[in-house]
């Protein structure tokens, strides 16, 4: 078997098209076509690069009498591209699936944390309950801090279990033979569940304002407004819980396949945006807490987060333009 046949065989074994191999070798598709057709021979640096990408020795590629593949005794190929085995991919997808519910629960607790504070504030204005404004505020803030603390604990513990796989989100990777097919099959099997959860989550967020509208129509009393706002937060919390959980599972497939938000181009942009985000988000948190505690207007201070998200999207777009 000559060099041309070996390149063709190894490319198909890895599930790559000629265009994909050409991109990895930084050449044109026509060049790869000529290599596989025997019309031209790759330069030595390209042979070394393909040796690392395919995980075989240069002797195997160059010697026509070398029929059995001789694998390189290394874990990572050249150019800082890390190879991912089938065991690693399965372990990551399983762990991400388990973590999705925990992370979603943490987000759910954060969204629901102001409910008690709002409700106690509304009851303190009703003489029948005998609750002072100070007591209502104190109890409400205690519940807020406890729920946020539980959520933070969930984020930290769950994040630590996912830490060994952070490279999938940030680094360039290559999947070993057969891994892409397994990941693709699992993604197809999960797609119906993803569609249902995402649809229900979005619908709940849209319908979350209905309790407020019903209160305005039927009985526009302050305490009922407070209850309707609490109901709004519950609807939003459940909807976000469903969306976060399904998006995290889908994200595991995208990370392994390097699709969606995890393409190689986006990873390069993320490195630049990450440096800015390390300063940006702590500042946003400080602004949110300052506004909330100073004004004690927890019912509307959450608006800081969507504004911050929109601004960060603008920052990300700028980083993408700078990277290009």
């Amino acid at each position: 078997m000559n060099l041309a046949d070996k390149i063709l065989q190894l490319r198909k074994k890895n599930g790559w098209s000629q265009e994909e191999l050409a991109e990895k070798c930084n050449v044109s598709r026509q060049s790869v076509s000529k290599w596989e057709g025997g019309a031209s021979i790759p330069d030595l640096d390209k042979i070394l690069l393909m040796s690392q990408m395919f995980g075989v020795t240069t002797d195997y590629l160059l010697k026509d009498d070398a029929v059995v593949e001789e694998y390189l005794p290394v874990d990572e190929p050249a150019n800082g591209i890390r190879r991912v085995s089938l065991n690693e991919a399965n372990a990551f997808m399983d762990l991400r699936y388990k973590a999705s519910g925990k992370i979603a629960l943490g987000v759910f607790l954060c969204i629901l944390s102001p409910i008690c504070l709002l409700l106690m504030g509304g009851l303190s204005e009703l003489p029948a309950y005998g609750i002072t404004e100070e007591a209502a505020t104190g109890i409400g803030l205690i519940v807020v801090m406890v729920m946020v603390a539980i959520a933070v604990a969930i984020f930290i513990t769950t994040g630590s279990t996912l830490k060994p796989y952070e490279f999938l989100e940030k680094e360039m990777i290559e999947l070993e033979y057969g891994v892409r097919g397994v990941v693709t099959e699992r993604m197809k099997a999960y797609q119906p569940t993803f569609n249902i959860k995402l649809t229900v989550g979005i619908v709940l967020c849209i319908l979350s304002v209905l309790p407020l509208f019903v209160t305005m129509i039927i009985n526009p009393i302050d305490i009922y407004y407070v209850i309707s706002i609490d109901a709004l937060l519950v609807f939003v919390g459940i909807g976000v819980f469903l969306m976060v959980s399904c998006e995290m599972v889908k994200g595991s497939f995208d990370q392994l396949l390097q699709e969606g938000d995890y393409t190689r181009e986006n990873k390069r942009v993320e490195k630049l945006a990450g440096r800015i985000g390390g300063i940006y988000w702590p500042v946003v948190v400080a602004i949110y807490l300052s506004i909330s505690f100073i004004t004690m207007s927890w019912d509307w201070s959450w608006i800081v987060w969507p504004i911050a998200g929109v601004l960060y999207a603008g920052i990300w777009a700028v980083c993408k333009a700078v990277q290009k």
Side-chain angles (χ1 to χ4, degrees), residues 17-284:
S17 63
Q18 287 187 341
E19 289 82 358
E20 289 175 317
L21 179 58
E23 181 184 353
K24 299 175 194 299
C25 294
N26 196 26
V27 296
S28 65
R29 188 199 63 80
Q30 288 76 13
S31 296
V32 173
S33 179
K34 290 180 180 178
W35 295 347
E36 295 181 351
S40 65
I41 299 175
D43 295 336
L44 181 58
D45 61 329
K46 302 302 181 186
I47 292 176
L48 290 172
L49 178 58
M50 285 190 289
S51 166
Q52 295 289 339
M53 288 191 301
F54 292 139
V56 298
T57 62
T58 53
D59 283 348
Y60 169 73
L61 290 175
L62 296 173
K63 294 180 179 179
D64 291 348
D65 58 348
V67 179
V68 180
E69 294 181 21
E70 302 172 11
Y71 292 98
L72 286 172
V74 294
D75 295 324
E76 298 181 13
N79 284 353
I81 300 177
R82 182 164 176 172
R83 294 179 69 86
V84 179
S85 68
L86 181 59
N87 288 337
E88 282 182 309
N90 280 326
F92 170 67
M93 288 187 288
D94 292 340
L95 188 60
R96 183 91 171 195
Y97 181 83
K98 295 177 182 177
S100 63
K102 297 178 181 178
I103 295 295
L105 176 60
V107 176
F108 179 73
L109 291 175
C110 288
I111 294 174
L112 262 60
S113 61
I115 284 181
C116 182
L117 180 63
L118 295 172
L119 183 60
M120 295 299 294
L123 293 177
S124 66
E125 297 181 3
L126 299 176
Y129 290 92
I131 302 175
T132 64
E133 184 177 349
E134 292 75 12
T137 302
I139 294 172
L141 288 177
I142 290 174
V143 173
V144 168
M145 299 308 294
V146 169
M147 294 181 71
V148 171
I150 294 173
V152 170
I154 291 173
F155 295 148
I156 293 174
T157 54
T158 306
S160 64
T161 62
L162 294 171
K163 195 172 182 63
Y165 298 97
E166 283 184 348
F167 70 92
L168 292 172
E169 183 178 354
K170 301 175 182 178
E171 299 178 16
M172 307 299 176
I173 63 171
E174 291 290 353
L175 302 180
E176 291 186 356
Y177 176 68
V179 177
R180 177 173 291 274
V182 172
V183 176
T184 302
E185 286 301 315
R186 290 188 62 165
M187 181 176 65
K188 289 180 180 177
Y190 184 74
Q191 191 64 44
T193 303
F194 172 81
N195 292 338
I196 293 172
K197 283 189 172 183
L198 185 64
T199 301
V200 174
I202 293 174
V203 169
L204 285 175
C205 288
I206 294 173
L207 297 179
S208 63
V209 296
L210 287 182
L212 190 59
F213 292 159
V214 171
T215 300
M216 295 171 61
I217 296 171
I218 298 177
N219 200 346
I221 301 176
D222 289 346
I223 187 61
Y224 292 140
Y225 273 121
V226 172
I227 294 174
S228 64
I229 292 174
D230 286 349
L232 180 150
L233 292 176
V234 171
F235 273 93
V236 171
I238 297 173
V240 172
F241 176 90
L242 293 173
M243 289 189 288
V244 170
S245 61
C246 71
E247 285 288 355
M248 279 196 66
V249 176
K250 184 179 182 300
S252 66
F253 306 136
D254 288 343
Q255 287 184 31
L256 289 168
L257 299 176
Q258 296 189 106
E259 297 176 350
D261 294 332
Y262 303 100
T263 61
R264 293 190 172 186
E265 180 184 356
N266 285 344
K267 286 181 179 180
R268 297 187 186 99
V269 176
E270 282 292 344
K271 287 184 179 180
L272 178 59
R275 300 188 184 100
I276 299 173
I279 301 173
Y280 178 81
W281 289 112
V283 171
V284 171

Side-chain angles (χ1 to χ4, degrees), residues 282-298 300-301 304-305:
V283 171
V284 171
V285 172
I287 293 173
Y288 168 70
L289 293 176
S290 299
I291 293 174
S292 299
F293 279 109
I294 291 174
T295 64
M296 294 306 296
S297 299
W298 296 84
W300 63 263
S301 60
V304 169
W305 295 107

